[in-house]
mmCIF file of all heavy atoms in Angstrom:
data_model
loop_
_atom_site.group_PDB
_atom_site.id
_atom_site.type_symbol
_atom_site.label_atom_id
_atom_site.label_comp_id
_atom_site.label_asym_id
_atom_site.label_seq_id
_atom_site.Cartn_x
_atom_site.Cartn_y
_atom_site.Cartn_z
ATOM 1 N N ASP A 761 -12.857 22.196 1.851
ATOM 2 C CA ASP A 761 -13.157 22.172 3.307
ATOM 3 C C ASP A 761 -11.954 22.500 4.142
ATOM 4 O O ASP A 761 -12.083 22.859 5.304
ATOM 5 C CB ASP A 761 -13.695 20.803 3.696
ATOM 6 C CG ASP A 761 -15.103 20.558 3.201
ATOM 7 O OD1 ASP A 761 -15.852 21.542 2.968
ATOM 8 O OD2 ASP A 761 -15.469 19.379 3.040
ATOM 9 N N ALA A 762 -10.763 22.328 3.572
ATOM 10 C CA ALA A 762 -9.530 22.470 4.358
ATOM 11 C C ALA A 762 -8.728 23.667 3.821
ATOM 12 O O ALA A 762 -8.796 24.000 2.646
ATOM 13 C CB ALA A 762 -8.674 21.218 4.313
ATOM 14 N N ILE A 763 -7.960 24.269 4.695
ATOM 15 C CA ILE A 763 -7.048 25.368 4.334
ATOM 16 C C ILE A 763 -5.897 24.779 3.490
ATOM 17 O O ILE A 763 -5.303 23.767 3.853
ATOM 18 C CB ILE A 763 -6.494 26.026 5.599
ATOM 19 C CG1 ILE A 763 -7.568 26.718 6.400
ATOM 20 C CG2 ILE A 763 -5.374 27.023 5.218
ATOM 21 C CD1 ILE A 763 -7.136 27.133 7.796
ATOM 22 N N ASP A 764 -5.559 25.501 2.406
ATOM 23 C CA ASP A 764 -4.353 25.178 1.650
ATOM 24 C C ASP A 764 -3.193 25.830 2.383
ATOM 25 O O ASP A 764 -3.161 27.050 2.545
ATOM 26 C CB ASP A 764 -4.474 25.747 0.241
ATOM 27 C CG ASP A 764 -3.245 25.527 -0.617
ATOM 28 O OD1 ASP A 764 -2.191 25.121 -0.094
ATOM 29 O OD2 ASP A 764 -3.349 25.756 -1.845
ATOM 30 N N PRO A 765 -2.232 25.058 2.884
ATOM 31 C CA PRO A 765 -1.148 25.630 3.697
ATOM 32 C C PRO A 765 -0.306 26.662 2.912
ATOM 33 O O PRO A 765 0.318 27.535 3.518
ATOM 34 C CB PRO A 765 -0.282 24.426 4.077
ATOM 35 C CG PRO A 765 -0.679 23.339 3.158
ATOM 36 C CD PRO A 765 -2.077 23.622 2.721
ATOM 37 N N ARG A 766 -0.314 26.604 1.598
ATOM 38 C CA ARG A 766 0.423 27.581 0.774
ATOM 39 C C ARG A 766 -0.252 28.943 0.765
ATOM 40 O O ARG A 766 0.321 29.907 0.342
ATOM 41 C CB ARG A 766 0.614 27.039 -0.639
ATOM 42 C CG ARG A 766 1.602 25.863 -0.704
ATOM 43 C CD ARG A 766 1.548 25.098 -1.985
ATOM 44 N NE ARG A 766 0.303 24.349 -2.192
ATOM 45 C CZ ARG A 766 -0.006 23.200 -1.596
ATOM 46 N NH1 ARG A 766 0.800 22.638 -0.736
ATOM 47 N NH2 ARG A 766 -1.144 22.596 -1.874
ATOM 48 N N ARG A 767 -1.501 29.023 1.287
ATOM 49 C CA ARG A 767 -2.218 30.306 1.395
ATOM 50 C C ARG A 767 -2.262 30.774 2.825
ATOM 51 O O ARG A 767 -3.015 31.660 3.181
ATOM 52 C CB ARG A 767 -3.640 30.112 0.882
ATOM 53 C CG ARG A 767 -3.797 29.635 -0.541
ATOM 54 C CD ARG A 767 -3.300 30.616 -1.585
ATOM 55 N NE ARG A 767 -4.000 31.886 -1.563
ATOM 56 C CZ ARG A 767 -5.115 32.158 -2.262
ATOM 57 N NH1 ARG A 767 -5.675 31.235 -2.988
ATOM 58 N NH2 ARG A 767 -5.650 33.345 -2.178
ATOM 59 N N CYS A 768 -1.448 30.165 3.682
ATOM 60 C CA CYS A 768 -1.381 30.477 5.100
ATOM 61 C C CYS A 768 -0.117 31.333 5.351
ATOM 62 O O CYS A 768 0.945 31.073 4.814
ATOM 63 C CB CYS A 768 -1.311 29.178 5.890
ATOM 64 S SG CYS A 768 -1.260 29.461 7.679
ATOM 65 N N HIS A 769 -0.253 32.324 6.184
ATOM 66 C CA HIS A 769 0.854 33.247 6.505
ATOM 67 C C HIS A 769 1.469 32.913 7.890
ATOM 68 O O HIS A 769 2.674 33.130 8.095
ATOM 69 C CB HIS A 769 0.410 34.686 6.485
ATOM 70 C CG HIS A 769 -0.196 35.088 5.177
ATOM 71 N ND1 HIS A 769 0.591 35.448 4.115
ATOM 72 C CD2 HIS A 769 -1.459 35.118 4.741
ATOM 73 C CE1 HIS A 769 -0.182 35.714 3.071
ATOM 74 N NE2 HIS A 769 -1.443 35.511 3.429
ATOM 75 N N LEU A 770 0.667 32.402 8.769
ATOM 76 C CA LEU A 770 1.091 32.172 10.142
ATOM 77 C C LEU A 770 0.217 31.112 10.787
ATOM 78 O O LEU A 770 -0.989 31.143 10.629
ATOM 79 C CB LEU A 770 0.961 33.476 10.987
ATOM 80 C CG LEU A 770 1.067 33.417 12.495
ATOM 81 C CD1 LEU A 770 2.436 32.977 12.936
ATOM 82 C CD2 LEU A 770 0.706 34.781 13.082
ATOM 83 N N VAL A 771 0.846 30.167 11.473
ATOM 84 C CA VAL A 771 0.120 29.210 12.318
ATOM 85 C C VAL A 771 0.566 29.413 13.729
ATOM 86 O O VAL A 771 1.773 29.571 14.029
ATOM 87 C CB VAL A 771 0.404 27.745 11.888
ATOM 88 C CG1 VAL A 771 -0.008 26.763 12.956
ATOM 89 C CG2 VAL A 771 -0.313 27.414 10.573
ATOM 90 N N ILE A 772 -0.413 29.445 14.641
ATOM 91 C CA ILE A 772 -0.124 29.542 16.092
ATOM 92 C C ILE A 772 -0.703 28.293 16.769
ATOM 93 O O ILE A 772 -1.872 27.992 16.612
ATOM 94 C CB ILE A 772 -0.734 30.797 16.715
ATOM 95 C CG1 ILE A 772 -0.201 32.056 16.042
ATOM 96 C CG2 ILE A 772 -0.455 30.829 18.214
ATOM 97 C CD1 ILE A 772 -0.889 33.360 16.502
ATOM 98 N N GLU A 773 0.140 27.627 17.506
ATOM 99 C CA GLU A 773 -0.245 26.499 18.312
ATOM 100 C C GLU A 773 -0.068 26.829 19.772
ATOM 101 O O GLU A 773 0.951 27.401 20.123
ATOM 102 C CB GLU A 773 0.534 25.243 17.969
ATOM 103 C CG GLU A 773 0.287 24.698 16.564
ATOM 104 C CD GLU A 773 -1.100 24.048 16.361
ATOM 105 O OE1 GLU A 773 -1.894 24.012 17.319
ATOM 106 O OE2 GLU A 773 -1.351 23.605 15.233
ATOM 107 N N ILE A 774 -1.068 26.486 20.589
ATOM 108 C CA ILE A 774 -0.981 26.695 22.024
ATOM 109 C C ILE A 774 -0.738 25.315 22.626
ATOM 110 O O ILE A 774 -1.559 24.398 22.444
ATOM 111 C CB ILE A 774 -2.280 27.331 22.566
ATOM 112 C CG1 ILE A 774 -2.519 28.684 21.840
ATOM 113 C CG2 ILE A 774 -2.205 27.519 24.077
ATOM 114 C CD1 ILE A 774 -3.948 29.111 21.835
ATOM 115 N N VAL A 775 0.391 25.159 23.299
ATOM 116 C CA VAL A 775 0.773 23.849 23.839
ATOM 117 C C VAL A 775 -0.251 23.406 24.887
ATOM 118 O O VAL A 775 -0.641 24.166 25.774
ATOM 119 C CB VAL A 775 2.180 23.921 24.441
ATOM 120 C CG1 VAL A 775 2.572 22.595 25.066
ATOM 121 C CG2 VAL A 775 3.167 24.341 23.375
ATOM 122 N N SER A 776 -0.698 22.180 24.739
ATOM 123 C CA SER A 776 -1.595 21.601 25.734
ATOM 124 C C SER A 776 -0.773 20.796 26.755
ATOM 125 O O SER A 776 0.314 20.337 26.448
ATOM 126 C CB SER A 776 -2.640 20.717 25.046
ATOM 127 O OG SER A 776 -2.009 19.598 24.465
ATOM 128 N N ARG A 777 -1.358 20.635 27.878
ATOM 129 C CA ARG A 777 -0.691 19.805 28.941
ATOM 130 C C ARG A 777 -0.565 18.372 28.503
ATOM 131 O O ARG A 777 0.381 17.695 28.833
ATOM 132 C CB ARG A 777 -1.514 19.872 30.240
ATOM 133 C CG ARG A 777 -1.508 21.149 30.923
ATOM 134 C CD ARG A 777 -2.382 21.012 32.175
ATOM 135 N NE ARG A 777 -2.825 22.233 32.720
ATOM 136 C CZ ARG A 777 -2.153 22.855 33.706
ATOM 137 N NH1 ARG A 777 -1.075 22.358 34.192
ATOM 138 N NH2 ARG A 777 -2.631 24.018 34.170
ATOM 139 N N SER A 778 -1.590 17.875 27.801
ATOM 140 C CA SER A 778 -1.678 16.448 27.510
ATOM 141 C C SER A 778 -0.718 15.924 26.449
ATOM 142 O O SER A 778 -0.377 14.776 26.442
ATOM 143 C CB SER A 778 -3.102 16.093 27.146
ATOM 144 O OG SER A 778 -3.468 16.747 25.956
ATOM 145 N N ASN A 779 -0.260 16.801 25.546
ATOM 146 C CA ASN A 779 0.590 16.297 24.449
ATOM 147 C C ASN A 779 1.485 17.406 23.870
ATOM 148 O O ASN A 779 1.351 17.770 22.715
ATOM 149 C CB ASN A 779 -0.290 15.699 23.389
ATOM 150 C CG ASN A 779 0.514 14.899 22.354
ATOM 151 O OD1 ASN A 779 1.712 14.738 22.512
ATOM 152 N ND2 ASN A 779 -0.171 14.407 21.364
ATOM 153 N N PRO A 780 2.417 17.926 24.663
ATOM 154 C CA PRO A 780 3.303 19.006 24.165
ATOM 155 C C PRO A 780 4.172 18.569 22.990
ATOM 156 O O PRO A 780 4.527 19.398 22.142
ATOM 157 C CB PRO A 780 4.106 19.390 25.382
ATOM 158 C CG PRO A 780 4.018 18.286 26.324
ATOM 159 C CD PRO A 780 2.745 17.580 26.045
ATOM 160 N N SER A 781 4.523 17.302 22.873
ATOM 161 C CA SER A 781 5.382 16.870 21.790
ATOM 162 C C SER A 781 4.708 17.039 20.416
ATOM 163 O O SER A 781 5.423 17.182 19.424
ATOM 164 C CB SER A 781 5.842 15.411 21.993
ATOM 165 O OG SER A 781 4.713 14.563 21.928
ATOM 166 N N ASN A 782 3.378 17.043 20.391
ATOM 167 C CA ASN A 782 2.702 17.277 19.106
ATOM 168 C C ASN A 782 3.088 18.635 18.528
ATOM 169 O O ASN A 782 3.297 18.732 17.300
ATOM 170 C CB ASN A 782 1.208 17.154 19.321
ATOM 171 C CG ASN A 782 0.451 17.192 18.006
ATOM 172 O OD1 ASN A 782 0.818 16.545 17.053
ATOM 173 N ND2 ASN A 782 -0.651 17.892 17.976
ATOM 174 N N ASP A 783 3.165 19.666 19.351
ATOM 175 C CA ASP A 783 3.523 20.990 18.852
ATOM 176 C C ASP A 783 5.011 21.176 18.649
ATOM 177 O O ASP A 783 5.432 21.790 17.691
ATOM 178 C CB ASP A 783 2.989 22.055 19.854
ATOM 179 C CG ASP A 783 1.515 22.016 19.994
ATOM 180 O OD1 ASP A 783 0.795 21.899 18.955
ATOM 181 O OD2 ASP A 783 1.023 22.105 21.120
ATOM 182 N N TYR A 784 5.824 20.649 19.553
ATOM 183 C CA TYR A 784 7.273 20.839 19.511
ATOM 184 C C TYR A 784 7.993 19.886 18.577
ATOM 185 O O TYR A 784 9.115 20.118 18.190
ATOM 186 C CB TYR A 784 7.858 20.717 20.915
ATOM 187 C CG TYR A 784 7.673 21.950 21.782
ATOM 188 C CD1 TYR A 784 6.799 21.910 22.841
ATOM 189 C CD2 TYR A 784 8.353 23.124 21.512
ATOM 190 C CE1 TYR A 784 6.630 23.015 23.660
ATOM 191 C CE2 TYR A 784 8.174 24.248 22.311
ATOM 192 C CZ TYR A 784 7.331 24.186 23.397
ATOM 193 O OH TYR A 784 7.149 25.289 24.184
ATOM 194 N N GLU A 785 7.351 18.769 18.201
ATOM 195 C CA GLU A 785 8.018 17.806 17.369
ATOM 196 C C GLU A 785 7.217 17.567 16.085
ATOM 197 O O GLU A 785 7.657 17.864 14.982
ATOM 198 C CB GLU A 785 8.265 16.477 18.101
ATOM 199 C CG GLU A 785 9.181 16.665 19.279
ATOM 200 C CD GLU A 785 9.232 15.415 20.195
ATOM 201 O OE1 GLU A 785 8.836 14.324 19.742
ATOM 202 O OE2 GLU A 785 9.634 15.581 21.372
ATOM 203 N N GLY A 786 6.033 16.967 16.217
ATOM 204 C CA GLY A 786 5.243 16.597 15.048
ATOM 205 C C GLY A 786 4.872 17.783 14.161
ATOM 206 O O GLY A 786 5.132 17.751 12.944
ATOM 207 N N LYS A 787 4.349 18.820 14.725
ATOM 208 C CA LYS A 787 3.945 19.990 13.925
ATOM 209 C C LYS A 787 5.158 20.770 13.500
ATOM 210 O O LYS A 787 5.131 21.410 12.419
ATOM 211 C CB LYS A 787 2.952 20.855 14.654
ATOM 212 C CG LYS A 787 1.614 20.119 14.811
ATOM 213 C CD LYS A 787 0.544 20.928 15.508
ATOM 214 C CE LYS A 787 -0.742 20.154 15.582
ATOM 215 N NZ LYS A 787 -1.825 20.873 16.241
ATOM 216 N N LEU A 788 6.224 20.762 14.275
ATOM 217 C CA LEU A 788 7.453 21.428 13.884
ATOM 218 C C LEU A 788 8.121 20.693 12.704
ATOM 219 O O LEU A 788 8.849 21.296 11.915
ATOM 220 C CB LEU A 788 8.440 21.499 15.079
ATOM 221 C CG LEU A 788 9.679 22.360 14.869
ATOM 222 C CD1 LEU A 788 9.366 23.787 14.414
ATOM 223 C CD2 LEU A 788 10.486 22.394 16.151
ATOM 224 N N ARG A 789 7.779 19.457 12.523
ATOM 225 C CA ARG A 789 8.224 18.664 11.334
ATOM 226 C C ARG A 789 7.281 18.939 10.168
ATOM 227 O O ARG A 789 7.734 19.125 9.025
ATOM 228 C CB ARG A 789 8.244 17.180 11.669
ATOM 229 C CG ARG A 789 8.577 16.277 10.524
ATOM 230 C CD ARG A 789 8.203 14.801 10.836
ATOM 231 N NE ARG A 789 6.789 14.699 11.081
ATOM 232 C CZ ARG A 789 6.277 14.018 12.125
ATOM 233 N NH1 ARG A 789 7.067 13.417 13.005
ATOM 234 N NH2 ARG A 789 4.949 13.945 12.319
ATOM 235 N N ASP A 790 5.975 18.984 10.420
ATOM 236 C CA ASP A 790 4.996 19.043 9.319
ATOM 237 C C ASP A 790 4.805 20.431 8.739
ATOM 238 O O ASP A 790 4.693 20.572 7.519
ATOM 239 C CB ASP A 790 3.640 18.492 9.793
ATOM 240 C CG ASP A 790 3.629 16.994 10.015
ATOM 241 O OD1 ASP A 790 4.587 16.339 9.617
ATOM 242 O OD2 ASP A 790 2.658 16.504 10.625
ATOM 243 N N TYR A 791 4.765 21.480 9.551
ATOM 244 C CA TYR A 791 4.455 22.814 9.033
ATOM 245 C C TYR A 791 5.532 23.291 8.035
ATOM 246 O O TYR A 791 5.166 23.874 6.997
ATOM 247 C CB TYR A 791 4.230 23.799 10.133
ATOM 248 C CG TYR A 791 2.909 23.606 10.864
ATOM 249 C CD1 TYR A 791 2.767 23.797 12.210
ATOM 250 C CD2 TYR A 791 1.770 23.215 10.180
ATOM 251 C CE1 TYR A 791 1.535 23.613 12.860
ATOM 252 C CE2 TYR A 791 0.570 23.012 10.800
ATOM 253 C CZ TYR A 791 0.446 23.224 12.138
ATOM 254 O OH TYR A 791 -0.752 23.069 12.806
ATOM 255 N N PRO A 792 6.848 23.134 8.283
ATOM 256 C CA PRO A 792 7.750 23.572 7.229
ATOM 257 C C PRO A 792 7.640 22.713 5.955
ATOM 258 O O PRO A 792 7.809 23.259 4.879
ATOM 259 C CB PRO A 792 9.138 23.450 7.861
ATOM 260 C CG PRO A 792 8.989 22.514 9.006
ATOM 261 C CD PRO A 792 7.553 22.666 9.497
ATOM 262 N N ALA A 793 7.325 21.468 6.089
ATOM 263 C CA ALA A 793 7.124 20.596 4.917
ATOM 264 C C ALA A 793 5.925 21.098 4.102
ATOM 265 O O ALA A 793 5.932 21.036 2.891
ATOM 266 C CB ALA A 793 6.913 19.155 5.338
ATOM 267 N N MET A 794 4.911 21.603 4.810
ATOM 268 C CA MET A 794 3.687 22.084 4.148
ATOM 269 C C MET A 794 3.881 23.504 3.586
ATOM 270 O O MET A 794 3.015 24.015 2.880
ATOM 271 C CB MET A 794 2.529 22.101 5.155
ATOM 272 C CG MET A 794 2.146 20.721 5.616
ATOM 273 S SD MET A 794 0.993 20.760 7.023
ATOM 274 C CE MET A 794 -0.576 20.896 6.162
#
Side-chain angles (χ1 to χ4, degrees):
D761 289 335
I763 296 168
D764 178 347
R766 290 165 293 282
R767 302 293 300 272
C768 182
H769 303 278
L770 166 66
V771 163
I772 301 174
E773 294 289 0
I774 302 156
V775 177
S776 65
R777 291 178 197 266
S778 63
N779 193 2
S781 65
N782 188 42
D783 298 317
Y784 282 109
E785 296 169 21
K787 291 181 179 182
L788 189 54
R789 174 194 62 228
D790 290 348
Y791 288 144
M794 296 169 85

